[in-house]
Amino acid sequence: MKHILPLILLLCFFSNCSKDELESKNYEYYYPTDEATLTAQNIPGSTEAFDPKGIAVSNEKLYVVNGNVLEIFNAVTFAHIKTIKEYTKGTTTIPLTSLTSVAVDKGRIYLGSTESRLFVFDEVTNAGISTVGNGQWWQTFVHVFGVVVKDGLVFVKEKEKSIKVFETAQITETSNWNLEPIAKLNTLNGYTEVYSMDVYDGNLVVAGRDAKSYLYYNIANIKANAAKSLTTPIEPEKMQFLDVKPISVSFSSDWAVTSENVGNVSYLRLYPKEDFMKKNAKAVVNASDILGQNAFGTIVGTAQLNDLIFLSENTNKKIRIIKLNKASIAEQNN
């Protein structure tokens, strides 16, 4: 009898395991579908070709760099709100030309131009606040090919391998145009391409298209070594690829929203943010088209608002608005 009781207990144990194994497991699956498209036809009175580059979303507004102007759309209804053609402050008016990039942070719009200027506007009134650079490439900037602003810092991508870092507090209504950067960063490779960058979890992340890598710069390290970096710019840690060119990156509430080129094919790839920051390159969404149709052109900018992802498709001259759908799949174990 004393040998039967342990046997009964053992059988009960295995019976419980079998019951658990019969329970289903749910897997979440994400897939994109087309929601809308923005082209020159969506801009009242537009007579020029649509040339989208950098984009940003803030306070339910979509900001699109379009050649020599900045377009503003409602990010929920997609209606066109305004076209900004010039920087105006008091009696000073500067026409906008050769724009590449846009960032919005804490009530300010930052607009980069290859004419070696960074324009700063009030987000609400769109009035000019200040300019950094005077349009001469041998002065403050050697052109501007990308900008991102967060956590009190302004990161400006220049020609070739340079990113200059400023403090937002340096830029005021009375500040000089020829500001000195507090730090410099090295992107390892690069020339005259538009660059995409964003900040998350205390790190600047750059889509290093020419280095075939995502480039990670720890902001605490930038601050600690700021003075030395003015002589020897800080180099990044990398998530290296062999045949992938990261083109754009932005962070939403859940995702690192990226675009990558492999040969002549352009991909929208979404990575869980925490895994991405650990340099884990396993994309949850990996799409070169929408359900087998409408292949993506080169995507030079990404942004997300709720379940909508905005893609700046420069080669196809449009903004594609994609809806991110979520489905659950139950797997029944036998």
Side-chain angles (χ1 to χ4, degrees):
M1 185 73 181
K2 65 180 181 180
H3 298 294
I4 295 177
L5 183 58
L7 180 60
I8 293 173
L9 292 173
L10 187 63
L11 289 172
C12 289
F13 173 77
F14 280 111
S15 296
N16 288 335
C17 285
S18 298
K19 181 181 178 181
D20 291 341
E21 288 175 358
L22 289 173
E23 294 179 358
S24 64
K25 295 181 180 180
N26 291 326
Y27 295 90
E28 293 181 342
Y29 173 70
Y30 296 87
Y31 62 96
T33 54
D34 277 316
E35 184 74 11
T37 300
L38 299 177
T39 66
Q41 295 180 344
N42 299 94
I43 304 170
S46 175
T47 58
E48 297 184 5
F50 196 48
D51 186 24
K53 292 188 175 72
I55 60 175
V57 170
S58 176
N59 294 319
E60 295 189 347
K61 291 181 180 179
L62 171 67
Y63 296 84
V64 179
V65 165
N66 174 25
N68 298 322
V69 301
L70 178 67
E71 307 290 0
I72 306 177
F73 296 87
N74 185 304
V76 178
T77 67
F78 316 139
H80 185 261
I81 297 174
K82 188 176 185 178
T83 299
I84 298 178
K85 299 181 179 181
E86 55 194 19
Y87 168 93
T88 302
K89 180 182 177 182
T91 59
T92 300
T93 298
I94 304 172
L96 300 179
T97 56
S98 304
L99 302 177
T100 58
S101 44
V102 61
V104 185
D105 180 73
K106 296 189 181 304
R108 291 177 169 185
I109 303 169
Y110 297 80
L111 195 57
S113 165
T114 57
E115 296 298 318
S116 301
R117 272 194 171 114
L118 181 70
F119 298 94
V120 185
F121 299 83
D122 184 277
E123 182 182 359
V124 176
T125 67
N126 302 146
I129 294 175
S130 188
T131 60
V132 185
N134 70 343
Q136 296 176 322
W137 63 264
W138 59 91
Q139 298 285 350
T140 313
F141 299 120
V142 185
H143 315 302
V144 175
F145 291 98
V147 61
V148 68
V149 184
K150 198 163 288 186
D151 298 337
L153 296 176
V154 182
F155 301 91
V156 180
K157 174 68 174 69
E158 291 188 292
K159 183 179 178 180
E160 298 180 347
K161 300 183 292 183
S162 172
I163 294 176
K164 287 181 177 175
V165 186
F166 302 84
E167 293 178 327
T168 55
Q170 291 177 264
I171 304 172
T172 69
E173 291 188 352
T174 58
S175 58
N176 188 281
W177 61 263
N178 195 21
L179 297 179
E180 293 293 331
I182 65 165
K184 293 182 181 180
L185 312 178
N186 184 340
T187 62
L188 305 179
N189 301 87
Y191 193 56
T192 60
E193 303 84 0
V194 173
Y195 262 62
S196 173
M197 310 177 283
D198 205 355
V199 173
Y200 175 67
D201 194 28
N203 290 272
L204 170 69
V205 180
V206 178
R209 54 198 298 168
D210 296 288
K212 294 185 179 179
S213 310
Y214 288 103
L215 311 177
Y216 298 75
Y217 304 85
N218 181 270
I219 291 175
N221 181 60
I222 293 173
K223 292 179 178 179
N225 294 281
K228 290 189 295 184
S229 74
L230 297 176
T231 302
T232 305
I234 296 170
E235 294 191 357
E237 294 184 6
K238 297 187 294 181
M239 180 161 68
Q240 183 72 57
F241 300 101
L242 294 177
D243 57 355
V244 175
K245 281 189 173 185
I247 305 298
S248 66
V249 60
S250 64
F251 293 101
S252 63
S253 57
D254 298 310
W255 308 105
V257 184
T258 76
S259 65
E260 300 171 0
N261 284 3
V262 182
N264 295 322
V265 181
S266 299
Y267 290 87
L268 168 66
R269 287 175 171 160
L270 271 60
Y271 300 92
K273 284 196 302 187
E274 303 307 324
D275 291 342
F276 185 83
M277 296 309 294
K278 295 175 184 176
K279 306 175 184 63
N280 184 338
K282 294 181 180 178
V284 172
V285 172
N286 180 23
S288 61
D289 54 34
I290 300 297
L291 302 177
Q293 297 182 333
N294 299 326
F296 295 127
T298 297
I299 302 165
V300 298
T302 62
Q304 184 173 358
L305 177 65
N306 302 323
D307 61 353
L308 296 177
I309 298 175
F310 301 86
L311 307 177
S312 180
E313 276 196 44
N314 186 259
T315 50
N316 291 333
K317 304 303 179 187
K318 59 186 176 182
I319 299 294
R320 292 224 354 219
I321 304 170
I322 306 300
K323 183 177 181 180
L324 182 63
N325 302 274
K326 178 180 175 181
S328 294
I329 300 174
E331 182 182 90
Q332 184 71 48
N333 292 322
N334 296 322

